[in-house]
C-alpha cells in the first residue's frame, strides 16, 4: 500500500508537469484557442504550483503571442473578442503573486496590448483588459496600507512552498520587475475611469453585485457565486474568480451594463491608486486628468471598494496638485463624504480620510478647515494609540497640526510626544541595532504622503479578513520575499515612519516648552542626532527642523543640545555626546537638498545665539565659510529662504561674540556682499513673488542686525543690541576702551575705509588707528553711508526731512506718525548701530560727525510724534555723541589729549545745537508718551548743554 501510494503521487506529479505542455501545445496548434485558454485559466487560478509549472514551460510568452495576434487586423483568431478576454484573464492570473511571470510580462511588453483592449467597443473586453492591468500594477507597485505583511509564517493552513521538484517558481534576490504605464496607457485608464464614473451614481444597494463587491481595498474581491464555482481557488487570488465566472457565463446573468461600468470604474480607480504610489507615474496620472475622475467617483459611487480606491489615489495626489485641491473644495459634498469616511469601521479608511482632510484643510480656499481638523485630530490620536496603525499616523498628523497651535496643544495634551518618541526610539536605524522581523515588517508598511513603500506580500496565503480588503490583510504563509526586495522596501518604509515622527515632534515642540521637556525626558535626542545623517533627504530635513524647535528654548540647550553640539551642557536629555550635533549640522549646509540645507541653517541660527561654546563648535567644524557661501546672490541653487537662514545664523553668531569671532566673520564676509543684501528690497523687484517679498525683507533686516552686532564694543553690548530673535538687552557705554576703539575702527575699515601707507605701519597702535580713521577718505559704499540711507528713509517716510533742514524751528505735530513696520525695524537697527559706533574713540565720533546727512537724520527723529522704537535709539545717539571719548594713551601727552577731547566735545555739542537738537530734546522730554524716552532725553539735554558750556542747563531742563 505504501509503495502504491508513493507511485500514485509520482504519477500525479508527472501528470501535473505534463498537462501544461499539452495545453500549451493545444494553444499553439489547436483549432479552438478559446477552449485552450479556458483550460489553462482553470488550471492556474488559485494554485501557485501550477502557475510555476506553466511559467516554466513558457506559458507567459505563448499567451502574450496570442494576445498580439488578436491585436493585428486580419489575425488568425476566429473570435478575437473572446480570445482577448480569456488571454487577459490568464495573464492577470499568472502575474498575480509570481515575480517570474511579472518579469517575463515586462520583458515581452504585454501592457500595450492590454491597453489596446481598453479602446474596444465591447465592454467585456474593456473589463478584462482593465482587470489584467490592475493585477499587474498591483503586483508591480508597493502595496498600500491595506496590507501589512508578516515576513515569517506561523499558520498551519499555509500550503507548502513547492509540491514537485520541477514546478518550483524561480526566485531571485532582485526586486520584482517594475511595470509602468506611460502617458498613453494612463490616458486610456483615466478615460475608462471618467466614462465609467459618470454612470456610478445611484448604485445604492448594488454594492455586492458583480466582482469587487466584497472588499474595500484596491484589489477586487470575488463574488460568492464565482468562489463557490471555482473549487480550490485561494482567497488571496479571489480577483481571478469573477473573471472566470464571466467567461463561463455564470456572472453575466446578474451583471447588467450599469453594474459592469461601476465595476470598471472601481478597477480603473484601483489602477490609478497603484500608479500613484510611484512619483513619476503620479505625475503622469495628474497630467491625464485622474484627480477629476477620482473625485467624481468618490462623491457619486456607493461601492466601498470604489470609494476607497478613489480615496487612496486622492490622498497621494492632493499634496502635489493644488488645482485638484481647489476642485475638491469647490464640491460641497466633499466635506460630508470625508467626515463620513472618518467614521468608517476600518482603520485604514479612517487614516486615508484624515490624510485628505490634512491636505485640504491647509488650502487657503477651505471654508471648513477648522471643523475638519477638529474632526480628524481625535481620529488620528486614536489610531496613533493602536500599535497596528501607529507607524502610518505620524506623517498625516504632522501635516494636520503643522500650522495650528490649538491642534498642537490638543495633540500634546494627549501624550502624543511620548508615543512619537517611543516609536522613534524603537526604530533600529536610530539605535544602530539590527532590525528584527517584527520591526522590519512594521517599517515596511507604508505611511501616507510624502511617500509609500512596503515589502512584497506573498500571494499564496489566505487573507485574515473575510469581509473586506480594507482590513489589514496579514500574510501568514511562510513564503519569504526575496531578501533584497524586502530590505529595500523596509528601508524606504522605515524612513517614512522616521520622517513622520520627526516632523510631528518638530511641530509639537516648536512653540511649547512642555513638549520640549517631555521629549528631552524621553531620552531620544541621540536618535534625533543620528537622523541628521540618514540617507533620506526628508528624514534629514525633519531632524534638523526638530533640532531647530528644541534649540529655541535655553532649557533645552542646557539640557542636552549643548553637549551634543560640543558644549559643556548636562546630558539630562540623553544628548548625542562627543560633539556630534555641530559637525552634522555644518555638514548639512552642503547637502544636495535645499530643504535640508535651509533646515540646518535655521537650526544653527538658534544654536549659536547665546552660548560661546556652541559658537566655538560651529566655527571649529567649518561652519563660517559655509554659511557665508550660502549668502551669495543670484544663485539658482540658493533660494531666498536659505539665504535668509544663513544670514540670520551669521547675525546670531556675532551676537555677544568676542573680538576674535567678529574679526573672523569680517574676514570671511565681504562688506560688498552685505551691501548687496541690504539693497535687495522687495519694492525694487516688481517681478518678485509675494512669498519671496517677506524673505527678501528679512534679508535686509538680518543684514542690519549683523552690522549692529559687529559694531558692539568688546566690553559689552551696545544700546539694545541683539541678534536674531534675542530681546533687546543692555545699555549704552560712554567710556571707550582701547580694544573697543580698535574693534570699531576695524569695522569702519572693513566697510570701505582705505588707509594711507603712512598709517599702515602703525595700525597696532591705538592713536595711529584713530588718526587713520579721522584722516581717511570714505567711499560712498561705506558703513556710514549704509546707516545714513536707512535712517533717511524713515525720515522721508515720516515727512520730517523739511523739519530737519530747518533746524527744528517748527513746532512738532502732536499726531503720532505711523510708519511701515519693516521701515521702522531697519531704521532702528541703523540707529542702534550708530549708537554703538559712538561708544568708540574720538576717531569714530569724528567720522560720524563728518557724515552730515546721518547726523541730520538722527536729529530729525528727536520728536514726540516719532515712535519709541526710533526715538529711543536716536536719543542714545545724542548721549553717546556728546560723551567724552577716553583715549588709549598713558604717555606724558595725556593732558594735551584730554584738552583736545574737551574741545572736540564742545564742537560736537555745538553741531547738535546748530541742528536744533536742544529744543527738540526739551520738547521730547516734556511730550513723548514713553517714560523711558523722556528720561533719556533729559540726560541727553543736560549733557548737550554742559558740553556746549551752557551754565543754564539744569534750569532749562527743570
Amino acid at each position: 500500500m505504501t509503495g502504491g501510494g508513493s507511485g500514485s503521487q509520482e504519477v500525479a506529479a508527472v501528470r501535473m508537469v505534463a498537462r501544461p505542455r499539452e495545453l500549451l501545445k493545444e494553444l499553439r496548434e489547436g483549432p479552438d484557442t478559446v477552449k485552450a485558454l479556458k483550460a489553462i485559466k482553470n488550471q492556474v487560478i488559485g494554485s501557485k504550483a501550477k502557475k510555476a509549472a506553466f511559467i516554466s514551460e513558457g506559458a507567459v510568452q505563448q499567451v502574450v503571442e496570442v494576445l498580439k495576434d488578436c491585436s493585428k487586423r486580419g489575425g488568425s483568431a476566429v473570435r478575437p473578442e473572446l480570445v482577448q478576454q480569456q488571454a487577459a484573464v490568464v495573464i492577470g492570473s499568472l502575474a498575480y503573486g509570481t515575480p517570474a511571470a511579472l518579469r517575463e510580462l515586462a520583458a515581452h511588453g504585454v501592457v500595450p496590448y492590454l491597453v489596446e483592449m481598453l479602446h474596444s467597443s465591447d465592454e467585456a473586453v474593456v473589463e478584462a483588459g482593465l482587470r489584467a492591468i490592475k493585477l499587474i500594477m498591483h503586483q508591480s507597485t508597493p502595496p498600500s496600507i491595506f496590507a501589512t505583511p508578516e515576513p515569517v509564517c506561523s499558520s498551519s493552513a499555509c500550503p507548502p512552498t513547492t509540491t514537485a521538484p520541477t514546478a518550483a517558481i524561480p526566485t531571485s534576490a532582485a526586486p520584482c520587475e517594475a511595470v509602468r504605464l506611460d502617458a498613453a496607457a494612463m490616458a486610456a485608464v483615466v478615460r475608462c475611469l471618467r466614462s465609467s464614473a459618470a454612470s456610478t451614481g445611484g448604485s445604492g444597494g448594488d454594492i455586492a453585485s458583480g466582482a469587487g463587491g466584497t472588499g474595500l481595498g484596491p484589489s477586487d474581491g470575488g463574488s460568492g457565486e464565482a468562489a463557490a464555482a471555482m473549487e480550490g481557488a485561494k482567497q488571496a487570488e479571489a480577483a481571478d474568480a469573477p473573471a472566470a465566472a464571466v467567461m463561463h457565463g455564470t456572472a453575466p446573468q446578474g451583471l447588467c451594463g450599469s453594474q459592469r461600468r461601476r465595476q470598471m470604474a472601481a478597477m480603473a480607480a484601483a489602477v490609478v491608486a497603484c500608479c500613484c504610489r510611484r512619483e513619476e507615474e503620479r505625475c503622469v496620472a495628474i497630467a491625464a486628468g485622474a484627480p477629476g475622475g477620482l473625485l467624481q467617483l468618490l462623491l457619486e459611487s456607493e461601492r466601498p471598494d470604489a470609494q476607497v480606491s478613489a480615496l487612496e489615489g486622492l490622498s497621494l495626489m492632493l499634496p502635489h496638485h493644488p488645482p485638484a485641491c481647489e476642485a475638491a473644495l469647490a464640491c460641497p459634498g466633499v466635506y460630508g463624504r470625508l467626515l463620513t469616511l472618518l467614521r468608517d469601521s476600518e482603520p485604514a479608511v479612517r487614516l486615508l480620510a484624515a490624510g485628505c482632510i490634512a491636505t485640504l484643510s491647509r488650502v487657503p480656499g477651505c471654508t471648513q478647515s477648522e471643523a475638519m481638523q477638529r474632526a480628524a485630530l481625535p481620529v488620528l490620536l486614536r489610531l496613533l494609540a493602536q500599535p497596528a496603525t501607529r507607524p502610518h499616523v505620524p506623517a498625516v498628523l504632522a501635516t494636520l497640526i503643522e500650522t495650528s497651535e490649538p491642534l498642537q496643544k490638543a495633540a500634546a495634551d494627549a501624550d502624543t510626544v511620548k508615543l512619537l518618541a517611543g516609536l522613534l526610539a524603537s526604530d533600529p536605524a536610530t539605535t544602530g541595532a539590527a532590525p528584527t522581523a517584527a520591526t522590519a515588517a512594521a517599517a515596511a508598511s507604508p505611511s501616507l504622503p510624502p511617500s509609500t513603500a512596503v515589502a512584497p506580500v506573498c500571494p499564496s496565503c489566505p487573507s485574515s479578513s473575510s469581509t473586506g480588503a480594507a482590513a489589514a490583510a496579514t500574510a501568514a504563509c511562510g513564503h519569504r520575499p526575496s531578501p533584497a526586495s524586502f530590505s529595500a522596501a523596509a528601508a524606504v518604509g522605515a524612513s517614512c515612519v522616521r520622517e513622520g515622527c520627526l516632523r510631528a515632534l518638530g511641530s509639537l515642540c516648536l512653540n511649547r516648552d512642555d513638549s520640549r521637556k517631555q521629549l528631552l525626558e524621553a531620552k531620544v535626542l541621540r536618535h534625533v542626532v543620528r537622523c541628521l545623517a540618514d540617507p533620506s533627504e526628508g528624514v534629514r530635513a525633519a531632524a534638523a527642523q526638530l533640532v531647530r524647535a528644541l534649540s529655541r528654548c535655553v532649557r533645552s540647550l542646557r539640557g542636552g543640545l549643548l553637549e551634543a553640539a560640543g558644549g559643556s551642557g548636562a546630558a539630562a536629555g540623553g544628548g548625542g555626546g562627543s560633539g556630534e550635533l555641530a559637525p552634522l549640522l555644518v555638514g548639512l549646509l552642503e547637502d544636495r537638498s535645499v530643504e535640508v540645507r535651509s533646515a540646518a541653517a535655521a537650526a544653527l541660527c538658534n544654536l549659536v545665539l547665546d552660548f560661546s561654546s556652541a559658537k566655538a563648535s560651529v566655527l571649529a567644524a567649518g561652519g563660517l565659510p559655509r554659511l557665508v557661501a550660502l549668502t551669495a546672490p543670484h544663485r539658482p541653487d540658493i533660494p531666498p529662504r536659505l539665504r535668509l537662514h544663513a544670514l540670520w545664523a551669521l547675525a546670531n553668531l556675532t551676537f555677544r561674540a568676542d573680538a576674535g569671532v567678529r574679526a573672523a566673520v569680517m574676514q570671511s564676509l565681504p562688506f560688498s556682499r552685505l551691501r548687496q543684501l541690504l539693497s535687495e528690497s522687495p519694492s525694487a523687484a516688481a517681478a518678485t513673488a509675494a512669498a519671496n517679498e517677506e524673505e527678501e525683507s528679512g534679508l535686509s533686516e538680518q543684514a542690519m542686525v549683523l552690522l549692529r552686532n559687529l559694531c558692539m564694543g568688546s566690553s559689552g553690548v551696545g544700546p539694545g543690541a541683539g541678534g536674531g530673535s534675542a530681546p533687546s538687552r543692555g545699555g549704552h557705554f560712554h567710556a571707550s576702551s582701547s580694544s573697543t576703539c580698535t574693534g570699531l575702527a576695524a569695522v569702519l575699515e572693513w566697510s570701505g575705509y582705505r588707509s594711507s601707507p603712512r598709517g599702515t605701519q602703525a595700525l597696532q597702535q591705538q592713536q595711529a588707528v584713530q588718526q587713520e580713521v579721522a584722516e581717511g577718505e570714505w567711499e560712498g559704499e561705506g558703513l556710514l553711508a549704509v546707516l545714513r540711507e536707512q535712517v533717511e528713509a524713515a525720515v522721508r517716510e515720516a515727512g520730517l526731512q523739511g523739519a530737519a533742514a530747518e533746524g527744528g524751528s517748527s513746532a512738532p505735530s502732536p499726531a503720532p506718525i505711523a510708519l511701515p513696520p519693516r521701515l521702522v525695524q531697519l531704521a532702528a537697527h541703523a540707529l542702534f548701530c550708530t549708537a554703538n559706533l559712538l561708544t568708540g574713540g574720538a576717531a569714530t565720533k569724528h567720522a560720524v560727525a563728518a557724515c552730515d546727512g546721518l547726523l541730520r537724520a538722527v536729529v530729525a527723529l528727536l520728536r514726540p510724534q516719532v515712535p519709541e522704537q526710533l526715538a529711543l535709539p536716536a536719543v542714545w545717539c545724542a548721549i553717546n555723541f556728546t560723551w567724552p571719548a577716553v583715549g588709549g594713551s598713558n604717555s606724558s601727552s595725556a593732558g594735551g589729549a584730554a584738552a583736545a577731547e574737551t574741545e572736540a566735545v564742545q564742537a560736537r555739542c555745538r553741531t547738535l545745537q546748530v541742528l536744533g537738537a536742544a529744543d527738540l530734546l526739551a520738547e521730547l522730554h516734556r511730550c513723548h508718551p514713553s517714560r523711558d524716552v523722556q528720561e533719556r532725553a533729559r540726560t541727553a539735554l543736560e549733557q548737550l548743554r554742559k558740553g556746549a558750556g551752557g551754565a543754564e542747563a539744569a534750569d532749562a531742563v527743570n
Side-chain angles (χ1 to χ4, degrees):
M1 295 296 295
T2 304
S6 176
S8 299
Q9 293 176 2
E10 293 177 359
V11 171
V14 171
R15 287 180 178 177
M16 187 193 72
V17 175
R19 184 63 174 165
R21 296 174 186 165
E22 297 174 4
L23 291 177
L24 291 176
K25 182 177 180 181
E26 182 180 350
L27 179 64
R28 290 191 307 269
E29 303 172 359
D32 196 340
T33 305
V34 175
K35 180 180 178 182
L37 288 171
K38 286 182 180 181
I40 295 174
K41 174 194 64 182
N42 293 334
Q43 288 282 328
V44 300
I45 286 181
S47 174
K48 189 178 181 69
K50 291 182 179 179
K51 285 184 182 183
F54 275 92
I55 292 172
S56 63
E57 293 295 329
V60 173
Q61 180 178 359
Q62 293 188 38
V63 176
V64 171
E65 290 295 332
V66 170
L67 197 59
K68 289 181 182 180
D69 186 66
C70 291
S71 66
K72 300 176 183 178
R73 296 186 179 275
S76 59
V78 179
R79 294 173 292 177
E81 292 82 6
L82 292 178
V83 172
Q84 284 180 316
Q85 294 176 44
Q86 294 294 333
V89 173
V90 173
I91 287 174
S93 179
L94 291 175
Y96 193 86
T98 51
L102 196 62
R103 285 191 292 271
E104 288 197 36
L105 289 172
H108 291 89
V110 71
V111 173
Y113 303 104
L114 295 175
V115 171
E116 186 178 342
M117 294 174 61
L118 304 184
H119 299 282
S120 173
S121 58
D122 190 338
E123 288 186 350
V125 174
V126 176
E127 179 189 10
L130 200 56
R131 187 186 307 279
I133 294 175
K134 183 188 75 66
L135 290 173
I136 292 174
M137 299 309 298
H138 184 63
Q139 290 300 113
S140 179
T141 57
S144 71
I145 61 174
F146 296 104
T148 305
E150 290 289 344
V152 181
C153 175
S154 60
S155 173
S156 59
C158 176
T161 56
T162 58
T163 55
T166 58
I169 296 180
T171 60
S172 172
C176 296
E177 183 72 25
V179 179
R180 304 179 187 276
L181 299 185
D182 57 16
M186 186 66 71
V189 174
V190 172
R191 183 180 61 83
C192 293
L193 171 65
R194 299 182 72 93
S195 60
S196 301
S199 62
T200 57
S203 56
D206 297 328
I207 296 176
S209 352
T214 63
L216 297 175
S219 58
D220 294 339
S223 65
E225 296 179 23
M230 303 297 296
E231 181 178 357
K234 304 302 179 184
Q235 190 173 2
E237 256 191 330
D240 296 330
V246 170
M247 302 311 155
H248 285 296
T250 58
Q253 297 177 358
L255 190 63
C256 64
S258 62
Q259 292 173 338
R260 174 177 279 119
R261 284 189 290 273
R262 289 194 291 269
Q263 178 176 305
M264 290 165 56
M267 288 190 295
V271 172
V272 173
C274 288
C275 294
C276 287
R277 298 170 198 161
R278 291 192 293 236
E279 182 178 359
E280 61 275 12
E281 286 179 282
R282 181 177 63 234
C283 298
V284 174
I286 290 174
L294 293 177
L295 183 61
Q296 181 181 4
L297 188 65
L298 177 68
L299 295 177
E300 297 179 1
S301 176
E302 295 299 329
R303 289 176 60 105
D305 58 338
Q307 286 184 9
V308 177
S309 294
L311 188 64
E312 182 186 0
L314 288 172
S315 69
L316 296 171
M317 288 184 182
L318 291 178
H320 308 280
H321 192 51
C325 296
E326 297 172 0
L329 294 175
C331 301
V334 166
Y335 299 101
R337 177 68 76 180
L338 290 177
L339 293 177
T340 300
L341 292 173
L342 275 180
R343 299 187 293 269
D344 194 271
S345 59
E346 299 296 342
V349 177
R350 298 198 298 271
L351 182 59
L352 288 173
C356 291
I357 287 175
T359 301
L360 293 176
S361 63
R362 299 182 60 176
V363 178
C366 184
T367 59
Q368 302 184 26
S369 59
E370 187 176 352
M372 295 172 68
Q373 289 173 342
R374 286 201 307 264
L377 181 61
V379 173
L380 289 175
L381 295 180
R382 286 193 292 269
L383 292 174
L384 186 63
Q386 301 175 11
T389 55
R390 186 175 300 163
H392 315 299
V393 177
V396 182
L397 181 63
T399 303
L400 184 71
I401 68 175
E402 197 167 20
T403 58
S404 174
E405 290 192 25
L407 291 179
Q408 293 169 12
K409 182 180 184 303
D413 292 342
D415 284 338
T416 306
V417 174
K418 294 181 180 179
L419 290 172
L420 292 172
L423 187 59
L424 184 64
S426 64
D427 186 358
T430 63
T431 59
T436 62
T439 56
S445 300
S447 54
L448 287 181
S451 59
T452 58
V454 301
V457 182
C458 179
S460 302
C461 159
S463 172
S464 59
S465 170
S466 60
T467 59
T474 302
C477 63
H479 302 297
R480 287 181 177 270
S482 61
S485 61
F486 185 87
S487 300
V492 176
S495 69
C496 295
V497 176
R498 288 195 297 276
E499 180 181 349
C501 288
L502 293 168
R503 285 180 55 211
L505 287 171
S507 297
L508 291 170
C509 297
L510 187 62
N511 300 304
R512 291 182 55 82
D513 283 341
D514 291 343
S515 297
R516 299 186 190 109
K517 181 180 178 181
Q518 289 178 357
L519 187 60
L520 292 176
E521 290 176 349
K523 299 187 182 302
V524 294
L525 186 55
R526 65 180 181 274
H527 304 288
V528 177
V529 172
R530 287 177 181 172
C531 286
L532 292 171
D534 195 272
S536 169
E537 293 180 0
V539 174
R540 296 196 301 272
Q545 290 287 5
L546 179 54
V547 172
R548 175 192 182 188
L550 291 174
S551 62
R552 297 184 73 185
C553 176
V554 175
R555 181 189 306 171
S556 300
L557 288 169
R558 289 176 175 163
L561 277 179
L562 279 184
E563 184 195 6
S568 56
S578 304
E580 295 179 63
L581 182 58
L584 286 173
L585 289 175
V586 169
L588 292 181
L589 294 177
E590 295 181 339
D591 196 273
R592 62 180 179 272
S593 168
V594 173
E595 183 184 4
V596 174
R597 284 184 285 164
S598 182
L604 286 171
C605 180
N606 289 341
L607 196 65
V608 301
L609 178 59
D610 273 321
F611 296 93
S612 58
S613 58
K615 298 178 192 288
S617 298
V618 172
L619 291 175
L624 180 56
R626 299 184 187 185
L627 289 172
V628 170
L630 292 177
T631 63
H634 309 306
R635 283 184 54 181
D637 60 325
I638 305 180
R641 181 172 295 276
L642 176 55
R643 295 175 66 198
L644 173 61
H645 289 166
L647 186 60
W648 204 328
L650 289 172
N652 285 1
L653 185 65
T654 57
F655 174 62
R656 287 186 171 179
D658 55 35
V661 174
R662 297 200 302 272
V665 171
M666 287 188 290
Q667 185 177 3
S668 301
L669 179 66
F671 181 78
S672 58
R673 172 82 54 83
L674 206 61
R675 188 73 172 87
Q676 189 171 12
L677 292 171
L678 285 167
S679 64
E680 292 184 1
S681 172
S683 59
T688 303
N692 290 335
E693 289 187 3
E694 182 180 354
E695 296 164 358
E696 296 290 355
S697 173
L699 283 172
S700 301
E701 181 178 353
Q702 292 308 315
M704 286 304 306
V705 171
L706 177 56
L707 285 176
R708 178 178 167 182
N709 290 342
L710 288 174
C711 293
M712 287 193 297
S714 61
S715 57
V717 294
S725 57
S728 296
R729 296 186 285 259
H732 67 290
F733 289 86
H734 311 302
S736 303
S737 66
S738 175
S739 59
T740 300
C741 297
T742 304
L744 294 176
V747 174
L748 292 177
E749 184 176 0
W750 165 72
S751 68
Y753 169 73
R754 297 295 180 265
S755 60
S756 63
R758 167 180 64 85
T760 305
Q761 301 173 359
L763 281 178
Q764 295 181 352
Q765 302 177 8
Q766 174 59 27
Q767 282 190 319
V769 173
Q770 295 182 10
Q771 184 69 16
E772 287 296 331
V773 174
E775 296 179 358
E777 294 182 0
W778 292 91
E779 299 179 354
E781 298 300 315
L783 173 61
L784 296 180
V786 171
L787 302 180
R788 184 190 69 243
E789 291 171 3
Q790 300 298 332
V791 180
E792 284 181 343
V795 171
R796 286 193 302 270
E797 184 70 21
L800 299 174
Q801 65 271 30
E806 296 171 3
S809 59
S810 60
S813 173
I817 299 176
L819 296 174
R822 174 181 175 271
L823 193 63
V824 172
Q825 288 289 337
L826 292 176
H829 289 310
L831 288 168
F832 277 125
C833 189
T834 304
N836 285 338
L837 284 175
L838 291 171
T839 62
T844 55
K845 293 179 186 288
H846 176 81
V848 174
C851 188
D852 183 68
L854 175 60
L855 203 58
R856 287 179 178 274
V858 171
V859 172
L861 295 175
L862 298 174
R863 296 179 178 275
Q865 66 268 35
V866 174
E868 180 184 4
Q869 298 96 315
L870 298 181
L872 184 61
V875 174
W876 277 118
C877 289
I879 294 174
N880 290 351
F881 188 70
T882 58
W883 198 271
V886 177
S889 176
N890 295 324
S891 63
S892 58
S893 62
E901 178 57 24
T902 300
E903 293 179 2
V905 170
Q906 291 177 353
R908 293 196 297 268
C909 291
R910 285 195 296 270
T911 300
L912 289 182
Q913 284 185 324
V914 171
L915 295 175
D919 294 337
L920 293 175
L921 286 171
E923 187 70 16
L924 201 63
H925 168 62
R926 291 192 300 267
C927 303
H928 200 279
S930 170
R931 189 72 174 174
D932 196 10
V933 173
Q934 292 180 15
E935 293 298 328
R936 298 299 180 270
R938 174 190 176 95
T939 302
L941 185 56
E942 289 177 349
Q943 210 167 277
L944 172 62
R945 294 188 172 177
K946 180 180 178 181
E952 74 284 6
D955 294 338
V957 174
N958 293 329

